[in-house]
Amino acid sequence: GAVVSQHPSWVICKSGTSVKIECRSLDFQATTMFWYRQFPKQSLMLMATSNEGSKATYEQGVEKDKFLINHASLTLSTLTVTSAHPEDSSFYICSAENRWGQGAEGGANVLTFGAGSRLTVL
Amino acid sequence: AQSVTQLDSQVPVFEEAPVELRCNYSSSVSVYLFWYVQYPNQGLQLLLKYLSGSTLVKGINGFEAEFNKSQTSFHLRKPSVHISDTAEYFCALYNFNKFYFGSGTKLNVKP
C-alpha cells in the first residue's frame, strides 16, 4: 500500500538550534504534501501545503521564516524548524496526497500520513 | 466555511459492546468525508472514506460509517469492539484541496 516515511520519529534539541524533519512517499509520487502540527489532546492543525517545485503555502498564523518547507522532488518534502524554542515542542505529522489511481488507496484525494515526529526543545 | 464537529471527546465502552462515534460537518458544497485512527505516538491511518455512491461505507477492522446528507453527519460504528480498538479517531472533510479535521474522539475499550 501507499507508505509515507517520516524521519526522525523523535528528536530532542537545545533551544536556538535548527531541526530538519523529512517526509518521503515510498511507492508513489506526491505532488502535494501537507505538514500538520498536533498539540497534546488536540486535533491536527494544518501548517502548510507543500507543492513540488514551488513555494509552500502557509496557513494563517504560521511563521514561514521559522518553519521552512522544501519540496525538492516528487517523493520528498522537508520541514526545518529554525532557531527552535521550547514552545515549538510538538508532534509534527506530514501527509502526502494520493491523486486518482496512485498508491494502494486510489480514488479521489486520500491522505497517507507519516508516523509523526515528536520534537522536544530544551 | 468548512468545519467538522466531533461531539464526544471521549467514549468509554466495554469489550464486545457496540460503539458509535459521532461526526457532523458543515459545508456549502459537496464533500468527501473520512475517518482516520491514530494510535499513541503514531500518524493517522485511514479507516474508511465516503466519496460518492452508497451512503453506507465499510472500512478496515470491522468499522463502517453512514453518510447522511440531510443531517450532515458521518457517524462511525462498530458492532463489537476489541481492546485493540482503543485509539483516537478523527473525522475529516475534504474540499477545495484541503482537509479539515475534527477535534478527535478517544475510544477507550475496557475489558
Side-chain angles (χ1 to χ4, degrees):
Chain A
V3 177
V4 171
S5 172
Q6 190 172 341
H7 177 81
S9 54
W10 295 84
V11 57
I12 301 173
C13 70
K14 292 182 179 180
S15 184
T17 61
S18 294
V19 173
K20 180 185 284 188
I21 301 169
E22 291 189 349
C23 181
R24 293 180 185 272
S25 57
L26 297 187
D27 53 0
F28 65 99
Q29 293 182 337
T31 53
T32 303
M33 289 186 174
F34 301 87
W35 287 95
Y36 292 87
R37 182 174 180 177
Q38 187 178 30
F39 293 97
K41 301 181 181 180
Q42 294 189 31
S43 187
L44 284 73
M45 181 191 78
L46 178 64
M47 298 175 65
T49 301
S50 168
N51 295 298
E52 186 267 337
S54 64
K55 291 183 178 180
T57 303
Y58 290 82
E59 294 299 302
Q60 191 173 5
V62 177
E63 298 176 63
K64 60 182 180 181
D65 294 331
K66 167 168 268 303
F67 299 102
L68 300 179
I69 291 173
N70 183 276
H71 195 153
S73 75
L74 287 172
T75 60
L76 174 65
S77 176
T78 60
L79 166 68
T80 302
V81 183
T82 62
S83 187
H85 288 92
E87 58 266 29
D88 298 325
S89 298
S90 192
F91 194 54
Y92 293 88
I93 306 176
C94 74
S95 66
E97 191 171 33
N98 297 346
R99 290 283 175 176
W100 299 91
Q102 288 189 13
E105 304 296 343
N109 301 77
V110 177
L111 285 184
T112 301
F113 286 83
S117 299
R118 183 161 299 284
L119 170 64
T120 300
V121 184
L122 303 177
Chain B
Q2 332 297 320
S3 67
V4 178
T5 302
Q6 290 181 246
L7 297 169
D8 306 300
S9 59
Q10 295 194 50
V11 172
V13 64
F14 287 105
E15 193 173 21
E16 297 184 3
V19 71
E20 178 180 83
L21 306 183
R22 296 181 292 170
C23 172
N24 287 87
Y25 69 92
S26 174
S27 176
S28 57
V29 298
S30 298
V31 299
Y32 298 144
L33 294 162
F34 304 79
W35 274 99
Y36 284 87
V37 59
Q38 184 180 34
Y39 298 100
N41 295 313
Q42 294 187 28
L44 276 67
Q45 178 184 1
L46 179 67
L47 273 180
L48 50 79
K49 60 184 183 287
Y50 171 77
L51 306 178
S52 64
S54 173
T55 57
L56 184 62
V57 180
K58 294 189 182 298
I60 62 171
N61 301 340
F63 284 93
E64 63 180 31
E66 185 160 17
F67 171 64
N68 188 317
K69 188 175 182 179
S70 62
Q71 297 186 6
T72 60
S73 68
F74 190 55
H75 300 333
L76 180 70
R77 303 187 185 99
K78 186 169 183 178
S80 176
V81 295
H82 302 288
I83 295 289
S84 59
D85 292 324
T86 295
E88 188 152 20
Y89 293 80
F90 291 94
C91 182
L93 171 160
Y94 176 91
N95 62 26
F96 300 119
N97 295 321
K98 285 187 179 180
F99 279 82
Y100 301 84
F101 287 88
S103 55
T105 299
K106 284 194 174 180
L107 177 62
N108 185 13
V109 181
K110 303 176 181 180

Short mmCIF file of all heavy atoms in Angstrom, two decimals, chain A residues 39-107:
data_model
loop_
_atom_site.label_atom_id
_atom_site.label_comp_id
_atom_site.label_asym_id
_atom_site.label_seq_id
_atom_site.Cartn_x
_atom_site.Cartn_y
_atom_site.Cartn_z
N PHE A 39 -1.00 19.45 18.90
CA PHE A 39 -0.75 19.73 20.30
C PHE A 39 -1.39 18.62 21.13
O PHE A 39 -2.33 17.96 20.68
CB PHE A 39 -1.32 21.09 20.68
CG PHE A 39 -0.60 22.23 20.01
CD1 PHE A 39 -1.11 22.80 18.85
CD2 PHE A 39 0.58 22.72 20.52
CE1 PHE A 39 -0.47 23.85 18.22
CE2 PHE A 39 1.24 23.77 19.89
CZ PHE A 39 0.72 24.33 18.73
N PRO A 40 -0.90 18.44 22.34
CA PRO A 40 -1.46 17.37 23.19
C PRO A 40 -2.97 17.46 23.32
O PRO A 40 -3.51 18.53 23.55
CB PRO A 40 -0.76 17.60 24.53
CG PRO A 40 0.52 18.28 24.18
CD PRO A 40 0.20 19.14 23.01
N LYS A 41 -3.61 16.35 23.13
CA LYS A 41 -5.06 16.22 23.28
C LYS A 41 -5.83 17.13 22.34
O LYS A 41 -6.97 17.50 22.63
CB LYS A 41 -5.47 16.50 24.74
CG LYS A 41 -4.82 15.55 25.73
CD LYS A 41 -5.27 15.83 27.14
CE LYS A 41 -4.58 14.88 28.12
NZ LYS A 41 -5.00 15.11 29.52
N GLN A 42 -5.24 17.48 21.23
CA GLN A 42 -5.93 18.31 20.25
C GLN A 42 -5.85 17.68 18.87
O GLN A 42 -5.13 16.71 18.66
CB GLN A 42 -5.32 19.72 20.22
CG GLN A 42 -5.53 20.51 21.49
CD GLN A 42 -5.10 21.94 21.33
OE1 GLN A 42 -5.18 22.52 20.25
NE2 GLN A 42 -4.64 22.54 22.42
N SER A 43 -6.58 18.26 17.96
CA SER A 43 -6.59 17.74 16.61
C SER A 43 -5.38 18.25 15.84
O SER A 43 -4.53 18.96 16.36
CB SER A 43 -7.88 18.16 15.91
OG SER A 43 -7.98 17.53 14.65
N LEU A 44 -5.34 17.88 14.59
CA LEU A 44 -4.24 18.30 13.74
C LEU A 44 -4.48 19.71 13.23
O LEU A 44 -5.57 20.05 12.78
CB LEU A 44 -4.11 17.37 12.54
CG LEU A 44 -3.48 16.00 12.78
CD1 LEU A 44 -4.43 15.09 13.53
CD2 LEU A 44 -3.07 15.36 11.48
N MET A 45 -3.45 20.52 13.27
CA MET A 45 -3.54 21.87 12.74
C MET A 45 -2.68 21.94 11.48
O MET A 45 -1.48 21.68 11.53
CB MET A 45 -3.03 22.88 13.77
CG MET A 45 -3.10 24.32 13.28
SD MET A 45 -2.22 25.47 14.34
CE MET A 45 -0.51 25.18 13.83
N LEU A 46 -3.31 22.26 10.37
CA LEU A 46 -2.56 22.36 9.12
C LEU A 46 -1.62 23.56 9.19
O LEU A 46 -2.06 24.68 9.47
CB LEU A 46 -3.52 22.51 7.94
CG LEU A 46 -2.87 22.66 6.57
CD1 LEU A 46 -2.08 21.41 6.20
CD2 LEU A 46 -3.93 22.96 5.51
N MET A 47 -0.34 23.31 8.95
CA MET A 47 0.64 24.38 8.97
C MET A 47 0.86 24.94 7.56
O MET A 47 0.87 26.15 7.36
CB MET A 47 1.98 23.87 9.50
CG MET A 47 1.93 23.36 10.91
SD MET A 47 3.50 22.65 11.40
CE MET A 47 4.57 24.08 11.36
N ALA A 48 1.04 24.02 6.62
CA ALA A 48 1.36 24.47 5.27
C ALA A 48 1.11 23.36 4.28
O ALA A 48 1.11 22.17 4.62
CB ALA A 48 2.81 24.91 5.20
N THR A 49 0.93 23.77 3.05
CA THR A 49 0.78 22.86 1.92
C THR A 49 2.02 22.99 1.06
O THR A 49 2.38 24.11 0.66
CB THR A 49 -0.47 23.20 1.10
OG1 THR A 49 -1.60 23.11 1.97
CG2 THR A 49 -0.64 22.23 -0.05
N SER A 50 2.65 21.87 0.79
CA SER A 50 3.91 21.86 0.07
C SER A 50 3.71 21.28 -1.32
O SER A 50 3.25 20.15 -1.46
CB SER A 50 4.91 21.00 0.86
OG SER A 50 6.06 20.72 0.11
N ASN A 51 4.02 22.04 -2.33
CA ASN A 51 3.89 21.59 -3.71
C ASN A 51 5.27 21.44 -4.33
O ASN A 51 6.12 22.33 -4.21
CB ASN A 51 3.07 22.59 -4.52
CG ASN A 51 1.65 22.67 -4.03
OD1 ASN A 51 0.91 21.69 -4.07
ND2 ASN A 51 1.25 23.83 -3.56
N GLU A 52 5.46 20.33 -4.99
CA GLU A 52 6.76 20.04 -5.60
C GLU A 52 7.17 21.13 -6.57
O GLU A 52 6.39 21.51 -7.45
CB GLU A 52 6.71 18.68 -6.30
CG GLU A 52 8.04 18.21 -6.86
CD GLU A 52 8.25 18.60 -8.31
OE1 GLU A 52 7.25 18.83 -9.01
OE2 GLU A 52 9.41 18.65 -8.73
N GLY A 53 8.37 21.66 -6.37
CA GLY A 53 8.92 22.64 -7.29
C GLY A 53 8.43 24.06 -7.10
O GLY A 53 8.79 24.94 -7.88
N SER A 54 7.64 24.29 -6.08
CA SER A 54 7.19 25.67 -5.85
C SER A 54 7.18 25.97 -4.36
O SER A 54 7.41 25.10 -3.53
CB SER A 54 5.79 25.88 -6.44
OG SER A 54 4.85 25.06 -5.79
N LYS A 55 6.94 27.22 -4.04
CA LYS A 55 6.95 27.62 -2.64
C LYS A 55 5.74 27.05 -1.91
O LYS A 55 4.67 26.90 -2.47
CB LYS A 55 6.94 29.14 -2.53
CG LYS A 55 8.23 29.81 -2.99
CD LYS A 55 8.16 31.32 -2.76
CE LYS A 55 9.46 31.98 -3.18
NZ LYS A 55 9.42 33.45 -2.97
N ALA A 56 5.96 26.78 -0.64
CA ALA A 56 4.87 26.25 0.17
C ALA A 56 3.84 27.34 0.46
O ALA A 56 4.16 28.53 0.50
CB ALA A 56 5.43 25.69 1.48
N THR A 57 2.62 26.90 0.66
CA THR A 57 1.54 27.81 1.05
C THR A 57 1.27 27.63 2.53
O THR A 57 0.89 26.54 2.97
CB THR A 57 0.26 27.50 0.26
OG1 THR A 57 0.54 27.59 -1.14
CG2 THR A 57 -0.84 28.48 0.63
N TYR A 58 1.48 28.69 3.30
CA TYR A 58 1.36 28.61 4.75
C TYR A 58 -0.04 29.05 5.19
O TYR A 58 -0.64 29.95 4.61
CB TYR A 58 2.42 29.49 5.42
CG TYR A 58 3.82 28.95 5.27
CD1 TYR A 58 4.56 29.18 4.11
CD2 TYR A 58 4.39 28.21 6.28
CE1 TYR A 58 5.84 28.66 3.97
CE2 TYR A 58 5.67 27.70 6.17
CZ TYR A 58 6.39 27.93 5.00
OH TYR A 58 7.65 27.41 4.87
N GLU A 59 -0.50 28.42 6.25
CA GLU A 59 -1.78 28.80 6.83
C GLU A 59 -1.58 30.07 7.66
O GLU A 59 -0.47 30.41 8.08
CB GLU A 59 -2.32 27.68 7.71
CG GLU A 59 -2.68 26.43 6.92
CD GLU A 59 -3.76 26.67 5.89
OE1 GLU A 59 -4.87 27.10 6.28
OE2 GLU A 59 -3.50 26.43 4.70
N GLN A 60 -2.68 30.75 7.86
CA GLN A 60 -2.63 31.99 8.62
C GLN A 60 -2.09 31.74 10.02
O GLN A 60 -2.52 30.81 10.69
CB GLN A 60 -4.04 32.60 8.70
CG GLN A 60 -4.07 34.01 9.23
CD GLN A 60 -5.47 34.62 9.12
OE1 GLN A 60 -6.42 33.93 8.74
NE2 GLN A 60 -5.59 35.88 9.45
N GLY A 61 -1.15 32.58 10.43
CA GLY A 61 -0.61 32.47 11.77
C GLY A 61 0.64 31.60 11.86
O GLY A 61 1.26 31.53 12.93
N VAL A 62 1.00 30.93 10.80
CA VAL A 62 2.20 30.09 10.81
C VAL A 62 3.36 30.91 10.25
O VAL A 62 3.27 31.46 9.15
CB VAL A 62 2.00 28.82 9.96
CG1 VAL A 62 3.28 27.99 9.92
CG2 VAL A 62 0.84 28.01 10.51
N GLU A 63 4.45 30.98 11.01
CA GLU A 63 5.60 31.78 10.59
C GLU A 63 6.42 31.03 9.55
O GLU A 63 7.09 30.04 9.86
CB GLU A 63 6.49 32.07 11.80
CG GLU A 63 5.82 32.87 12.90
CD GLU A 63 6.76 33.02 14.09
OE1 GLU A 63 7.82 33.66 13.93
OE2 GLU A 63 6.44 32.50 15.18
N LYS A 64 6.42 31.52 8.34
CA LYS A 64 7.12 30.83 7.27
C LYS A 64 8.63 30.91 7.42
O LYS A 64 9.35 30.06 6.89
CB LYS A 64 6.69 31.35 5.90
CG LYS A 64 6.94 32.82 5.67
CD LYS A 64 6.42 33.23 4.30
CE LYS A 64 6.64 34.70 4.03
NZ LYS A 64 6.12 35.12 2.71
N ASP A 65 9.13 31.92 8.12
CA ASP A 65 10.57 32.02 8.32
C ASP A 65 11.05 31.09 9.42
O ASP A 65 12.24 30.80 9.52
CB ASP A 65 10.96 33.46 8.66
CG ASP A 65 10.71 34.40 7.48
OD1 ASP A 65 10.78 33.92 6.33
OD2 ASP A 65 10.42 35.58 7.72
N LYS A 66 10.14 30.67 10.28
CA LYS A 66 10.52 29.74 11.34
C LYS A 66 10.36 28.30 10.88
O LYS A 66 11.14 27.45 11.20
CB LYS A 66 9.65 29.98 12.57
CG LYS A 66 9.77 28.86 13.60
CD LYS A 66 9.17 29.20 14.93
CE LYS A 66 10.16 29.81 15.88
NZ LYS A 66 11.33 29.03 16.17
N PHE A 67 9.32 28.04 10.12
CA PHE A 67 9.04 26.70 9.64
C PHE A 67 9.29 26.67 8.13
O PHE A 67 8.40 26.95 7.33
CB PHE A 67 7.60 26.31 9.96
CG PHE A 67 7.30 26.30 11.43
CD1 PHE A 67 6.61 27.35 12.03
CD2 PHE A 67 7.70 25.24 12.23
CE1 PHE A 67 6.34 27.35 13.39
CE2 PHE A 67 7.43 25.22 13.60
CZ PHE A 67 6.75 26.28 14.17
N LEU A 68 10.52 26.31 7.77
CA LEU A 68 10.91 26.30 6.36
C LEU A 68 10.52 24.97 5.73
O LEU A 68 10.91 23.92 6.22
CB LEU A 68 12.41 26.53 6.23
CG LEU A 68 12.95 27.84 6.80
CD1 LEU A 68 14.47 27.91 6.61
CD2 LEU A 68 12.27 29.03 6.14
N ILE A 69 9.82 25.05 4.64
CA ILE A 69 9.38 23.83 3.96
C ILE A 69 9.96 23.81 2.56
O ILE A 69 9.88 24.79 1.82
CB ILE A 69 7.85 23.76 3.92
CG1 ILE A 69 7.31 23.53 5.33
CG2 ILE A 69 7.38 22.64 2.98
CD1 ILE A 69 5.82 23.60 5.44
N ASN A 70 10.55 22.65 2.23
CA ASN A 70 11.13 22.46 0.91
C ASN A 70 10.58 21.18 0.31
O ASN A 70 10.53 20.14 0.97
CB ASN A 70 12.65 22.38 1.02
CG ASN A 70 13.30 22.24 -0.35
OD1 ASN A 70 13.41 21.14 -0.88
ND2 ASN A 70 13.70 23.35 -0.92
N HIS A 71 10.14 21.26 -0.93
CA HIS A 71 9.58 20.08 -1.60
C HIS A 71 10.36 19.91 -2.91
O HIS A 71 9.87 20.26 -3.97
CB HIS A 71 8.09 20.31 -1.86
CG HIS A 71 7.32 19.07 -2.21
ND1 HIS A 71 5.98 18.95 -1.95
CD2 HIS A 71 7.69 17.91 -2.79
CE1 HIS A 71 5.56 17.76 -2.36
NE2 HIS A 71 6.58 17.13 -2.87
N ALA A 72 11.57 19.37 -2.77
CA ALA A 72 12.51 19.36 -3.88
C ALA A 72 12.21 18.31 -4.94
O ALA A 72 12.62 18.45 -6.08
CB ALA A 72 13.93 19.16 -3.35
N SER A 73 11.51 17.25 -4.55
CA SER A 73 11.22 16.20 -5.53
C SER A 73 9.81 15.67 -5.29
O SER A 73 9.14 16.05 -4.32
CB SER A 73 12.23 15.06 -5.40
OG SER A 73 11.95 14.29 -4.25
N LEU A 74 9.37 14.79 -6.17
CA LEU A 74 8.02 14.24 -6.06
C LEU A 74 7.87 13.25 -4.91
O LEU A 74 6.77 12.80 -4.63
CB LEU A 74 7.62 13.57 -7.37
CG LEU A 74 7.31 14.53 -8.52
CD1 LEU A 74 7.13 13.76 -9.82
CD2 LEU A 74 6.05 15.33 -8.22
N THR A 75 8.97 12.94 -4.25
CA THR A 75 8.88 11.98 -3.15
C THR A 75 9.43 12.50 -1.84
O THR A 75 9.46 11.77 -0.85
CB THR A 75 9.63 10.68 -3.52
OG1 THR A 75 11.01 10.99 -3.77
CG2 THR A 75 9.02 10.00 -4.74
N LEU A 76 9.87 13.74 -1.80
CA LEU A 76 10.50 14.24 -0.58
C LEU A 76 10.10 15.67 -0.28
O LEU A 76 10.19 16.55 -1.12
CB LEU A 76 12.02 14.16 -0.69
CG LEU A 76 12.83 14.79 0.46
CD1 LEU A 76 12.57 14.03 1.76
CD2 LEU A 76 14.32 14.80 0.12
N SER A 77 9.65 15.87 0.95
CA SER A 77 9.41 17.21 1.48
C SER A 77 10.09 17.31 2.84
O SER A 77 10.12 16.32 3.58
CB SER A 77 7.92 17.50 1.62
OG SER A 77 7.69 18.78 2.21
N THR A 78 10.65 18.46 3.15
CA THR A 78 11.31 18.63 4.45
C THR A 78 10.75 19.84 5.16
O THR A 78 10.37 20.85 4.54
CB THR A 78 12.83 18.80 4.29
OG1 THR A 78 13.10 19.96 3.49
CG2 THR A 78 13.46 17.58 3.65
N LEU A 79 10.68 19.71 6.48
CA LEU A 79 10.28 20.81 7.35
C LEU A 79 11.45 21.11 8.27
O LEU A 79 11.94 20.21 8.96
CB LEU A 79 9.06 20.42 8.19
CG LEU A 79 8.71 21.33 9.38
CD1 LEU A 79 8.24 22.69 8.89
CD2 LEU A 79 7.63 20.69 10.25
N THR A 80 11.93 22.34 8.23
CA THR A 80 13.01 22.75 9.12
C THR A 80 12.48 23.75 10.12
O THR A 80 11.96 24.81 9.73
CB THR A 80 14.18 23.37 8.33
OG1 THR A 80 14.67 22.41 7.37
CG2 THR A 80 15.32 23.76 9.26
N VAL A 81 12.60 23.41 11.39
CA VAL A 81 12.23 24.32 12.46
C VAL A 81 13.48 25.11 12.82
O VAL A 81 14.44 24.55 13.35
CB VAL A 81 11.68 23.57 13.68
CG1 VAL A 81 11.23 24.57 14.75
CG2 VAL A 81 10.54 22.65 13.28
N THR A 82 13.50 26.37 12.47
CA THR A 82 14.70 27.18 12.67
C THR A 82 14.69 27.85 14.04
O THR A 82 13.63 28.24 14.55
CB THR A 82 14.82 28.25 11.59
OG1 THR A 82 13.69 29.13 11.69
CG2 THR A 82 14.85 27.63 10.20
N SER A 83 15.87 27.94 14.64
CA SER A 83 16.01 28.58 15.95
C SER A 83 14.88 28.13 16.88
O SER A 83 14.07 28.94 17.37
CB SER A 83 15.98 30.11 15.80
OG SER A 83 16.27 30.73 17.03
N ALA A 84 14.86 26.85 17.10
CA ALA A 84 13.76 26.25 17.87
C ALA A 84 13.74 26.74 19.31
O ALA A 84 14.80 26.96 19.92
CB ALA A 84 13.87 24.74 17.83
N HIS A 85 12.55 26.90 19.84
CA HIS A 85 12.35 27.27 21.24
C HIS A 85 11.41 26.26 21.88
O HIS A 85 10.70 25.52 21.18
CB HIS A 85 11.80 28.69 21.33
CG HIS A 85 12.79 29.73 20.98
ND1 HIS A 85 12.94 30.23 19.70
CD2 HIS A 85 13.73 30.37 21.73
CE1 HIS A 85 13.90 31.12 19.68
NE2 HIS A 85 14.40 31.23 20.90
N PRO A 86 11.37 26.23 23.21
CA PRO A 86 10.52 25.24 23.88
C PRO A 86 9.07 25.26 23.41
O PRO A 86 8.42 24.21 23.36
CB PRO A 86 10.65 25.63 25.35
CG PRO A 86 12.02 26.20 25.46
CD PRO A 86 12.23 26.96 24.17
N GLU A 87 8.56 26.41 23.05
CA GLU A 87 7.16 26.46 22.60
C GLU A 87 6.95 25.79 21.24
O GLU A 87 5.79 25.58 20.82
CB GLU A 87 6.65 27.91 22.54
CG GLU A 87 7.45 28.83 21.65
CD GLU A 87 8.51 29.60 22.41
OE1 GLU A 87 9.03 29.08 23.44
OE2 GLU A 87 8.84 30.71 21.98
N ASP A 88 8.03 25.47 20.56
CA ASP A 88 7.93 24.75 19.29
C ASP A 88 7.83 23.24 19.52
O ASP A 88 7.59 22.48 18.56
CB ASP A 88 9.15 25.03 18.40
CG ASP A 88 9.26 26.51 18.03
OD1 ASP A 88 8.19 27.14 17.85
OD2 ASP A 88 10.39 27.02 17.95
N SER A 89 8.00 22.82 20.76
CA SER A 89 7.88 21.40 21.07
C SER A 89 6.47 20.93 20.72
O SER A 89 5.48 21.54 21.13
CB SER A 89 8.15 21.15 22.56
OG SER A 89 9.46 21.54 22.91
N SER A 90 6.40 19.87 19.96
CA SER A 90 5.10 19.41 19.48
C SER A 90 5.29 18.12 18.71
O SER A 90 6.40 17.63 18.54
CB SER A 90 4.48 20.47 18.58
OG SER A 90 3.11 20.19 18.32
N PHE A 91 4.18 17.58 18.24
CA PHE A 91 4.18 16.41 17.37
C PHE A 91 3.89 16.91 15.96
O PHE A 91 2.84 17.51 15.72
CB PHE A 91 3.11 15.42 17.85
CG PHE A 91 3.20 14.05 17.26
CD1 PHE A 91 4.37 13.32 17.34
CD2 PHE A 91 2.11 13.47 16.64
CE1 PHE A 91 4.46 12.03 16.83
CE2 PHE A 91 2.18 12.17 16.12
CZ PHE A 91 3.36 11.46 16.21
N TYR A 92 4.82 16.69 15.06
CA TYR A 92 4.67 17.17 13.69
C TYR A 92 4.39 15.96 12.78
O TYR A 92 5.09 14.96 12.84
CB TYR A 92 5.92 17.90 13.22
CG TYR A 92 6.16 19.19 13.96
CD1 TYR A 92 6.90 19.20 15.15
CD2 TYR A 92 5.64 20.40 13.50
CE1 TYR A 92 7.10 20.38 15.85
CE2 TYR A 92 5.85 21.58 14.20
CZ TYR A 92 6.57 21.56 15.36
OH TYR A 92 6.76 22.73 16.06
N ILE A 93 3.37 16.08 11.97
CA ILE A 93 2.97 14.98 11.10
C ILE A 93 2.91 15.47 9.66
O ILE A 93 2.32 16.52 9.39
CB ILE A 93 1.59 14.41 11.49
CG1 ILE A 93 1.56 14.02 12.97
CG2 ILE A 93 1.24 13.20 10.63
CD1 ILE A 93 0.19 13.52 13.42
N CYS A 94 3.48 14.70 8.77
CA CYS A 94 3.36 15.03 7.36
C CYS A 94 2.38 14.07 6.70
O CYS A 94 2.12 12.98 7.22
CB CYS A 94 4.70 14.97 6.65
SG CYS A 94 5.32 13.30 6.36
N SER A 95 1.85 14.48 5.60
CA SER A 95 1.00 13.59 4.82
C SER A 95 1.18 13.89 3.34
O SER A 95 1.54 15.00 2.97
CB SER A 95 -0.47 13.74 5.22
OG SER A 95 -0.94 15.01 4.87
N ALA A 96 0.96 12.89 2.55
CA ALA A 96 1.08 13.02 1.11
C ALA A 96 -0.25 12.69 0.48
O ALA A 96 -0.96 11.78 0.93
CB ALA A 96 2.17 12.10 0.57
N GLU A 97 -0.55 13.43 -0.56
CA GLU A 97 -1.86 13.26 -1.19
C GLU A 97 -1.75 12.31 -2.36
O GLU A 97 -0.93 12.51 -3.25
CB GLU A 97 -2.35 14.62 -1.66
CG GLU A 97 -3.79 14.64 -2.10
CD GLU A 97 -4.27 16.06 -2.36
OE1 GLU A 97 -3.45 16.88 -2.80
OE2 GLU A 97 -5.44 16.33 -2.14
N ASN A 98 -2.58 11.27 -2.34
CA ASN A 98 -2.66 10.34 -3.47
C ASN A 98 -3.74 10.83 -4.41
O ASN A 98 -4.91 10.87 -4.06
CB ASN A 98 -3.05 8.94 -3.00
CG ASN A 98 -2.01 8.35 -2.08
OD1 ASN A 98 -0.91 8.84 -1.98
ND2 ASN A 98 -2.37 7.28 -1.41
N ARG A 99 -3.33 11.15 -5.59
CA ARG A 99 -4.31 11.54 -6.58
C ARG A 99 -4.98 10.30 -7.16
O ARG A 99 -4.68 9.19 -6.81
CB ARG A 99 -3.64 12.35 -7.68
CG ARG A 99 -3.18 13.70 -7.22
CD ARG A 99 -4.33 14.66 -7.11
NE ARG A 99 -3.94 15.95 -6.57
CZ ARG A 99 -4.75 17.00 -6.44
NH1 ARG A 99 -5.99 16.91 -6.82
NH2 ARG A 99 -4.32 18.13 -5.93
N TRP A 100 -5.87 10.50 -8.07
CA TRP A 100 -6.62 9.40 -8.66
C TRP A 100 -5.71 8.27 -9.13
O TRP A 100 -4.84 8.48 -9.94
CB TRP A 100 -7.43 9.88 -9.86
CG TRP A 100 -8.42 10.91 -9.53
CD1 TRP A 100 -8.23 12.26 -9.56
CD2 TRP A 100 -9.75 10.69 -9.10
NE1 TRP A 100 -9.38 12.90 -9.17
CE2 TRP A 100 -10.33 11.97 -8.88
CE3 TRP A 100 -10.53 9.56 -8.86
CZ2 TRP A 100 -11.63 12.12 -8.45
CZ3 TRP A 100 -11.83 9.72 -8.44
CH2 TRP A 100 -12.37 10.98 -8.24
N GLY A 101 -5.94 7.09 -8.58
CA GLY A 101 -5.26 5.90 -9.07
C GLY A 101 -3.86 5.68 -8.54
O GLY A 101 -3.28 4.65 -8.79
N GLN A 102 -3.32 6.60 -7.81
CA GLN A 102 -1.95 6.38 -7.35
C GLN A 102 -1.95 5.68 -6.00
O GLN A 102 -2.82 5.90 -5.19
CB GLN A 102 -1.22 7.71 -7.19
CG GLN A 102 -0.86 8.36 -8.50
CD GLN A 102 0.06 9.55 -8.29
OE1 GLN A 102 0.61 9.72 -7.22
NE2 GLN A 102 0.24 10.35 -9.31
N GLY A 103 -0.95 4.87 -5.76
CA GLY A 103 -0.83 4.19 -4.49
C GLY A 103 -1.94 3.15 -4.32
O GLY A 103 -2.74 2.92 -5.21
N ALA A 104 -1.98 2.55 -3.18
CA ALA A 104 -2.96 1.49 -2.95
C ALA A 104 -4.34 2.05 -2.70
O ALA A 104 -5.33 1.39 -2.93
CB ALA A 104 -2.54 0.65 -1.76
N GLU A 105 -4.44 3.29 -2.26
CA GLU A 105 -5.74 3.84 -1.91
C GLU A 105 -6.53 4.16 -3.17
O GLU A 105 -7.70 3.81 -3.32
CB GLU A 105 -5.58 5.13 -1.08
CG GLU A 105 -4.75 4.95 0.18
CD GLU A 105 -5.38 4.00 1.17
OE1 GLU A 105 -6.59 3.72 1.04
OE2 GLU A 105 -4.66 3.52 2.04
N GLY A 106 -5.89 4.84 -4.11
CA GLY A 106 -6.58 5.22 -5.34
C GLY A 106 -7.77 6.10 -5.06
O GLY A 106 -8.04 6.47 -3.94
N GLY A 107 -8.47 6.50 -6.05
CA GLY A 107 -9.76 7.17 -5.89
C GLY A 107 -9.74 8.44 -5.08
O GLY A 107 -9.56 8.42 -3.89
#
